């Protein structure tokens, strides 16, 4: 529903630089796809267990900060 609302806002002429979401809410792959198909940029906080695309030499999941 959130991706649909963001896409409708864009179609109606509302501008935004990026859609921002907190990982505390459920975020599905369909949600990412809907935003990409609508041409909307997005920033999402990832849960530590959820991986994402990255170059081979970069981390694919969020990491814990180093302990002092």
């Amino acid at each position: 529903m959130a991706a649909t609302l963001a896409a409708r806002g864009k179609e109606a002429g509302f501008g935004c630089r990026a859609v921002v979401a907190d990982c505390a809410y459920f975020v599905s792959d369909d949600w990412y796809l809907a935003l990409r198909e609508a041409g909307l940029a997005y920033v999402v906080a990832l849960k530590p267990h959820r991986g994402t695309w990255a170059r081979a030499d970069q981390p694919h999941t969020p990491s814990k900060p180093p302990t002092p």
Side-chain angles (χ1 to χ4, degrees), residues 15-35:
C16 70
R17 295 183 70 140
V19 176
V20 179
D22 185 336
C23 67
Y25 299 99
F26 178 76
V27 178
S28 70
D29 291 335
D30 291 336
W31 184 80
Y32 295 112
L33 181 60
L35 292 176

Side-chain angles (χ1 to χ4, degrees), residues 9-67:
K10 180 180 177 183
E11 290 170 3
F14 290 94
C16 70
R17 295 183 70 140
V19 176
V20 179
D22 185 336
C23 67
Y25 299 99
F26 178 76
V27 178
S28 70
D29 291 335
D30 291 336
W31 184 80
Y32 295 112
L33 181 60
L35 292 176
R36 281 195 297 269
E37 287 177 348
L40 293 165
Y42 57 89
V43 177
V44 180
L46 295 176
K47 290 185 178 185
H49 70 278
R50 173 129 177 133
T52 187
W53 181 91
R55 296 181 189 269
D57 62 340
Q58 296 176 353
H60 288 75
T61 58
S63 59
K64 294 181 183 178
T67 54

